[in-house]
Amino acid sequence: MNRVRAAIVGVGNCACSLMQGGAYYRRTLSSNGLIHQSIGGYQASDVDFVLGIDVDRRKVGKPLVEAIFASPNNTQVFEADIELTSAQVIMGRVLDGVAPHMVQAGERGFQIADLPEPTQDEIVAALRRERVDVLINFLPVGSQRASEFYMECALEAGVGVVNAIPVFIASNPEWEARFRQRGLPIVGDDIKAQVGATIIHRTLSNLFSTRGVTVDRTYQLNTGGNTDFMNMLDPARLADKKVSKTEAVQAALAQRLDDENIRIGPAEYVPWQKDNKIAFVRLEGSQWGGVAVNLELRLSVEDSPNSAACVMDAIRFCKLARDRGEGGTLIAESAFYCKHPPQQLVEDVALGLLDARAAPRLDAAE
C-alpha cells in the first residue's frame, strides 16, 4: 500500500509523543496501545512524518526528529532513538499562534525565530513538495487566525486535515462546506485523549443517565505543567477550549445542565508537573427516591502520549477517506476522536461505524 505522508503544524509535546509512537510501532510491530491496528490496511508504522512547521528558533531549521526533543517540550521520552529522515522544520506564520506571556516566559515559553515569515504560497509549495496527505494542527489553544491560515493552505494544496485543537473548523458549516467542495476530508475539532478526563467524564455521565440517576451538578478541574497549560493562563485563549470540553460532557447527559451547575476546564498551571496532567472529576446526582449519590475521581496521566493513539487513528482514517474520494468532515471519526465534532455520537455507536470503515473493502482486496 501507499505510505501516509503527514505534516505537523506546531512541533510541541503532542508532536513529540506522536512521532515517538510512530517509531515505537515500526520497531516493535506491537499492537499494544493502539485503538485500531489496521485502518483500511494502513498500519501505524505506515505513517511518515515528512514536514514540521513551527516558529520557535530552537526548532526551525532543524531535522524534525531532533526538533521534537527541543525545549520547551517536556513530555516523557519513551523512544529516543528515532531514525533520522530528511524531514525538516520550516518557519511558519506567528499570527495569533503565540500568546505574549509565552514569549516572556523564557526557557519554558516560546522563542520566536528571527526569520522572515512565509507567505501562503510558500507553505502550499512546501506541502506539495513533500506530497503531504494529511496536515495535523497542533497549534496552541486560542490560535484562531493561525489555524485559519493553515486551513487555507491545506485547501489550496489539496491536503486532508486533522484539527487536534479547539479552534472550530470541522464543526463550522462554512469551513466544512469548503473541504467538502474540494473533496478533502477533515477530522475535528479538539482531539480527545485515549483515556483522559473528558472521555472518563462522558462515560460516567452516560452511566448515571443509563442507570436512571439524575446528574444535578458536575465539575472537571485539570492541572498540568506543559506549554498547553501555560498558554491557557491567558483567559482570552480559553473560550473555545471550555466550550469544547463542556459540550462533550453535556452531550452524554440525559438532561442538559444549567451553566451554574457544570464547570469544566483547566484549573491551574503547575510547572513541576511538566507533561503530567491531574484531573479531578465530581458528579453529584439523585437516585431512587431522590437520595443523593456523589462520585469523585482523580486521574493522573502523561498528557501528550494520551492523545497520540487518537491522532494516529485520525490520520489514517483521513488518508483512507482521501483514497476513497470522500470530502468534508468525517462524522464518525470526529465524534469518536474529538470533543467538539459537528455531531455528537455515543462512543459505542461511533466505534461500530469506525470498525466497519476500517475493514479493507472487498473490491480493493480484489
Side-chain angles (χ1 to χ4, degrees):
M1 293 192 65
N2 294 330
R3 307 287 294 179
V4 184
R5 298 177 66 83
I8 296 172
V9 179
V11 186
N13 280 326
C14 288
C16 181
S17 292
L18 179 63
M19 288 184 60
Q20 285 188 75
Y24 172 86
Y25 288 105
R26 279 193 296 274
R27 178 178 62 82
T28 65
L29 301 180
S30 171
S31 61
N32 291 338
L34 293 171
I35 301 172
H36 286 95
Q37 183 172 3
S38 176
I39 293 174
Y42 290 113
Q43 312 293 316
S45 57
D46 293 326
V47 178
D48 296 325
F49 299 97
V50 299
L51 180 68
I53 305 173
D54 206 283
V55 299
D56 194 296
R57 65 176 180 80
R58 293 163 291 186
K59 299 172 183 179
V60 175
K62 303 289 180 60
L64 182 54
V65 297
E66 294 180 9
I68 59 173
F69 297 113
S71 294
N73 294 4
N74 59 7
T75 190
Q76 181 175 318
V77 176
F78 57 90
E79 187 74 14
D81 188 18
I82 303 177
E83 181 182 358
L84 185 66
T85 70
S86 61
Q88 298 287 308
V89 179
I90 64 172
M91 182 66 183
R93 291 286 290 274
V94 178
L95 297 169
D96 59 355
V98 179
H101 75 279
M102 294 294 291
V103 178
Q104 299 163 7
E107 183 70 17
R108 292 205 304 262
F110 295 142
Q111 300 178 10
I112 299 175
D114 186 18
L115 292 170
E117 294 185 32
T119 64
Q120 181 174 319
D121 287 345
E122 289 172 327
I123 295 294
V124 169
L127 294 172
R128 288 175 172 165
R129 182 179 63 247
E130 299 301 336
R131 307 189 312 280
V132 172
D133 298 306
V134 181
L135 177 72
I136 304 113
N137 182 14
F138 277 146
L139 287 171
V141 171
S143 304
Q144 182 75 41
R145 289 190 296 124
S147 294
E148 291 179 352
F149 169 78
Y150 290 109
M151 295 305 106
E152 294 287 1
C153 294
L155 285 166
E156 186 176 343
V159 173
V161 168
V162 174
N163 184 36
I165 74 168
V167 166
F168 301 148
I169 304 293
S171 56
N172 180 306
E174 294 181 5
W175 279 106
E176 195 280 335
R178 294 184 64 190
F179 275 89
R180 182 162 28 86
Q181 289 163 4
R182 291 295 305 273
L184 296 171
I186 179 169
V187 178
D189 300 304
D190 195 9
I191 208 75
K192 289 176 184 171
Q194 190 170 13
V195 180
T198 297
I199 190 64
I200 289 175
H201 204 158
R202 277 175 60 90
T203 301
L204 292 173
S205 299
N206 186 64
L207 175 66
F208 273 46
S209 297
T210 56
R211 303 298 290 183
V213 178
T214 300
V215 177
D216 299 317
R217 288 174 294 276
T218 188
Y219 67 62
Q220 178 198 133
L221 306 177
N222 306 317
T223 68
N226 55 27
T227 52
D228 189 35
F229 276 86
M230 181 189 286
N231 173 63
M232 290 186 290
L233 287 173
D234 180 355
R237 302 182 72 87
L238 262 178
D240 285 349
K241 183 71 171 179
K242 293 178 72 172
V243 169
S244 178
K245 290 174 73 68
T246 301
E247 289 303 313
V249 174
Q250 289 274 32
L253 297 170
Q255 190 170 20
R256 187 178 181 87
L257 292 175
D258 293 335
D259 290 345
E260 62 266 26
N261 292 326
I262 184 168
R263 170 68 170 88
I264 299 178
E268 192 54 79
Y269 168 65
V270 183
W272 53 261
Q273 280 186 229
K274 295 185 178 179
D275 197 37
N276 178 250
K277 176 179 178 178
I278 298 177
F280 302 90
V281 178
R282 178 178 173 87
L283 290 94
E284 299 180 2
S286 304
Q287 57 177 2
W288 176 267
V291 176
V293 55
N294 299 327
L295 181 150
E296 291 188 349
L297 175 144
R298 178 186 184 274
L299 170 71
S300 176
V301 66
E302 199 75 3
D303 200 19
S304 300
N306 204 14
S307 71
C310 291
V311 177
M312 181 60 81
D313 270 22
I315 292 169
R316 290 181 289 158
F317 272 116
C318 199
K319 168 61 171 165
L320 182 64
R322 200 166 180 263
D323 292 347
R324 295 176 177 177
E326 300 172 2
T329 301
L330 304 182
I331 298 300
E333 290 86 340
S334 297
F336 189 74
Y337 297 116
C338 297
K339 301 183 186 79
H340 195 271
Q343 181 181 343
Q344 294 280 4
L345 299 175
V346 176
E347 264 67 29
D348 289 349
V349 172
L351 182 59
L353 294 171
L354 293 182
D355 288 345
R357 284 175 60 78
R361 291 191 343 198
L362 292 178
D363 57 350
E366 294 170 356

